[in-house]
Each structure stands twice: as structure tokens, then as C-alpha cells.
Amino acid sequence: MAVREQAVQRLEGALADPGFSWTLCMVGEDQSQKFSQLTGELRAPFSRTGDGKRISSGFSYWGVESTVAWVHACSDLFYPVMRESIESFTRRWQQIGSGLEGQRYHYVSLGTGTGHKDHTVLERLRRNHPDLCYIPVDVSPEMLRLGQREALRNLGVPAGSVVPVQLDFSAGQNVMGLRRLVERLVGDEPVVYSLLGNTLANFEDDTALLALLTGQLLRPQDRFMLEVASTDRLDEDSASAAAREYRASPRFGEFVTSAVMQYTDLQIDMESVSFDAAVEDDRALLVKVVYRNRTGGQLRLTLPDRSSVEFPDEDTIRLLTTRKYSRAGVDKMLADAEAVEVGRTGSGFNAAFGEPQFGMDLVLLQSGATGNRPVPPPNPFR
């Protein structure tokens, strides 16, 4: 044990080198398999509606180019939803964080983003637990490094208390592995997990992912903090307004096309990027960002494995999926995922007269799984 403790101390000393910035990272999966998955998704059949070829969530942020493009988009004056969600987060977190007082929580961040929100969460949690363990998790090592740097800025968290994990948390096997890792690091001590920045909305089956995360990760003593974009109306005019919000930001357009530029040889024409919006099952405004071949002829794309695939006229590549949820839509999703709400707060952004009210909701959850955990209330949507 003494030898192990000495090794840990030496490692912490190396990471604290003031002359160089080191990032320790645990890699939880074979990255070559991720390339295989990406290539397979770009080989999907023809679709005019963005339901064939795609860049799935996670790959949109994978790589230096995509990470830098995302940071630029978050600060774009023409992309207010993300900028204002960051600026309003401190107030919303103060309101919902009061429900965590009196406990010493560790913190696991699923999708670190720019790190600004993690910084706010850590600052408060460390008041009760100065020795907490911070575990940022992301599929992108570049995003992990950037987000961790901002999250820890001026907090004085020891290097040995930070365990970055490169992992795709949308895969069931990976989630189970993450749970075992967290338990080995913190034992029975409670943990706050977070999925912020409307990340859940980027996944095709968002409810299934939420059920996986809350069902597999949460123990009775743990909590889960979910942030989603909100809307007060579900109609075609509101869906069009949601699409315009994304379309108005040049830097957001650069971000959504960065992955396909990085992993194919497609010459991007921004006029070929479409923002297709609709009302989804009376629960959310769904926006699909697609790249459509409008050349009038067939193209051929070179993929990451150096193979190629036909890209016919009018065929599409889905670049991103996102949503804005109604209050009832969030309630139904939580009920279907068997997650129990213990707190919620929201923030609406300025809207012109007659326009829909968009905002961000922050929801605090605990597990509703049966057994020795709290039993969820009856699901009124079944």
C-alpha cells in the first residue's frame, strides 16, 4: 500500500507541474470501433428526410475542429439559446442546488461542454465536500481537456481528485462500466450526475437514454441533474421559430458541418444545410439539421476507412438532432424513464410579441427503480 500511495503522490506532483498543462484521462473503449460505427452510419441508404446517412450524437463533438467550432457557437451573439443558458445557469443551479444541502456529494459530469456549468456546480458542492471527486465524461478527448480546464479554474481541486473518462455514455455496457468505476472511486458516498446543455435532445431515442442513465447509474443516495430546452407552445409556427433560431447563427452552421468536413471529403456548401422542424408526438419541437445534395448529380464520398460511398442527388446526411420540450413532454419522459423528480426550475429567454417562449429547464431527479429504491408515482401517460 505504501508503494501505491507513493506512486499516486508522484503522479499528482507531475500533473501539478506549473510549467506545463497535463491532462490525465482514462479511455474506456476502443476508439477504432468508433471509426467503424461512424463509417457504418455514413453508409446508410438513400433518404430525402435525413433518416439515412447520419453523424450521430457524440461524433458531432469528436475531434479538435468540432470542439473549437462548438466553443465558438456557444459565444455567438446570433445563437442566444446556448449563450443565455450558460449565463442563466448560476441562478437556476442556486435554486435547485438548495435541495442538495447537508450532503457531501461527488460529481460526475456526462458531457462536459465548455466547462462553465461544471465550474458553477463544483464551486457549490465543494462547500460541503472539499475533497470531492470530479469525474468528467465525454466521448471527445479534446472536449474533456477544454471543459476540465474551465471547470477547475481557480478552484484549487487537487489533481488526484479529478478523473476524466473518455467514454460514450449512450452505450449500455459503457454505462455499467462507468457505474463500477464510480463505486470503486467513491464507495457508498453519494454522487450527483449531470447531463446539461440539452444534450439529451441530441439522441434519437432520448427517453431510452434517460432510462438507461438513471436506471443503471443511480443508487438511492445519488441524484441526477438534467437540463433541457423548453417551449411554451407546440405548433408549426413554434417549430419554424425553433428552426430559425439555429439557422440564424453562422457559427452554429460551422459547428454542425465540422464533423462531416473532418471525416469525409465532401465540399461543404452552406446553402445545402437545411433546418427541418416539426412537432414531435405532442411533446417537443423537433429540429433535424441535414445536409442535402443539391448539385443535381451524384457525388461520391470518401469515408474515414478510405472506402467510398455514393451520395446521390437529393440524398441527405443528418448532422444533428435537437428538441425543445413542453412541460408535459418532460413529465411524460420522466414517467416513462421511471425517474422521480425532486426539484425543477426554469428560465425563459426574451421573446418578441406573439413569438413562442423558449427557455431552459433544470430538473433534479432520483432513481425510481423498484426494489430497495424509491417507487415512482403511477405513470399517468400509460
Side-chain angles (χ1 to χ4, degrees):
M1 182 62 70
V3 174
R4 181 181 300 177
E5 290 176 353
Q6 290 176 3
V8 171
Q9 291 175 358
R10 287 196 296 270
L11 178 60
E12 290 182 352
L15 292 172
D17 180 1
F20 199 81
S21 176
W22 292 101
T23 299
L24 182 68
C25 181
M26 297 182 66
V27 180
E29 57 188 332
D30 186 348
Q31 296 302 290
S32 64
Q33 293 182 2
K34 306 303 292 181
F35 268 110
S36 177
Q37 178 185 341
L38 176 63
T39 300
E41 292 177 350
L42 290 172
R43 289 185 174 281
F46 178 94
S47 171
R48 295 179 184 272
T49 59
D51 297 313
K53 299 175 180 63
R54 70 190 62 199
I55 303 288
S56 64
S57 184
F59 292 120
S60 300
Y61 307 85
W62 205 33
V64 175
E65 293 90 341
S66 298
T67 297
V68 172
W70 173 242
V71 173
H72 288 168
C74 289
S75 61
D76 189 357
L77 294 176
F78 295 98
Y79 182 33
V81 63
M82 189 53 64
R83 188 187 72 254
E84 293 185 14
S85 77
I86 293 174
E87 293 176 354
S88 68
F89 181 78
T90 297
R91 177 180 58 79
R92 290 181 286 123
W93 164 238
Q94 287 174 345
Q95 292 173 346
I96 208 168
S98 61
L100 302 173
E101 296 295 344
Q103 281 277 15
R104 291 163 53 88
Y105 288 96
H106 299 276
Y107 183 43
V108 179
S109 174
L110 303 175
T112 57
T114 63
H116 290 85
K117 294 177 182 179
D118 279 3
H119 182 276
T120 302
V121 174
L122 287 168
E123 194 172 33
R124 180 162 190 160
L125 293 181
R126 291 190 75 236
R127 296 175 190 172
N128 289 334
H129 197 352
D131 300 323
L132 65 72
C133 185
Y134 171 46
I135 307 173
V137 183
D138 206 293
V139 71
S140 167
E142 292 82 10
M143 194 70 78
L144 270 177
R145 181 173 172 85
L146 179 143
Q148 174 186 332
R149 182 175 57 195
E150 179 61 33
L152 299 174
R153 180 175 47 85
N154 299 328
L155 289 183
V157 178
S161 298
V162 182
V163 186
V165 177
Q166 183 184 354
L167 192 74
D168 179 359
F169 53 78
S170 68
Q173 184 176 359
N174 291 352
V175 173
M176 294 171 64
L178 177 62
R179 159 116 181 216
R180 292 193 296 269
L181 173 65
V182 172
E183 288 182 332
R184 289 189 176 101
L185 289 171
V186 307
D188 293 330
E189 296 182 10
V191 176
V192 172
Y193 292 87
S194 73
L195 185 62
L196 304 176
N198 202 35
T199 300
L200 184 67
N202 299 149
F203 291 86
E204 189 164 353
D205 195 340
D206 49 354
T207 300
L209 176 60
L210 182 62
L212 170 67
L213 295 174
T214 58
Q216 294 295 329
L217 291 176
L218 295 189
R219 305 163 297 178
Q221 65 270 37
D222 299 332
R223 296 294 181 266
F224 192 99
M225 187 162 53
L226 175 69
E227 186 181 36
V228 293
S230 63
T231 177
D232 67 340
R233 286 163 33 189
L234 291 178
D235 52 47
E236 293 303 321
D237 288 342
S238 299
S240 297
R244 288 197 302 272
E245 181 183 73
Y246 293 102
R247 189 186 300 116
S249 169
R251 287 189 170 180
F252 184 81
E254 293 171 4
F255 160 66
V256 294
T257 55
S258 62
V260 74
M261 287 182 63
Q262 185 175 183
Y263 297 114
T264 76
D265 60 349
L266 181 65
Q267 298 298 308
I268 297 296
D269 170 21
M270 295 305 296
E271 295 299 319
S272 297
V273 179
S274 299
F275 296 78
D276 301 336
V279 178
E280 182 189 36
D281 299 331
D282 296 324
R283 74 185 190 104
L285 305 176
L286 173 67
V287 179
K288 291 192 295 187
V289 187
V290 301
Y291 190 90
R292 182 171 284 105
N293 180 1
R294 290 175 170 165
T295 63
Q298 180 163 285
L299 302 177
R300 196 161 192 89
L301 304 181
T302 301
L303 303 182
D305 63 356
R306 301 297 185 229
S307 64
S308 62
V309 63
E310 293 181 351
F311 189 37
D313 186 44
E314 292 301 316
D315 195 7
T316 57
I317 301 172
R318 189 190 301 189
L319 306 177
L320 189 76
T321 299
T322 190
R323 298 175 175 89
K324 295 182 184 296
Y325 298 91
S326 68
R327 176 68 185 243
V330 174
D331 291 342
K332 183 179 186 305
M333 184 164 57
L334 298 183
D336 289 343
E338 297 188 340
V340 177
E341 178 184 324
V342 294
R344 185 188 304 204
T345 185
S347 176
F349 306 140
N350 291 332
F353 178 76
E355 290 291 310
Q357 179 72 67
F358 297 149
M360 297 291 285
D361 283 2
L362 194 61
V363 189
L364 189 63
L365 306 170
Q366 66 183 20
S367 174
T370 56
N372 62 347
R373 301 181 182 180
V375 177
N379 184 347
F381 303 100
R382 289 178 179 169

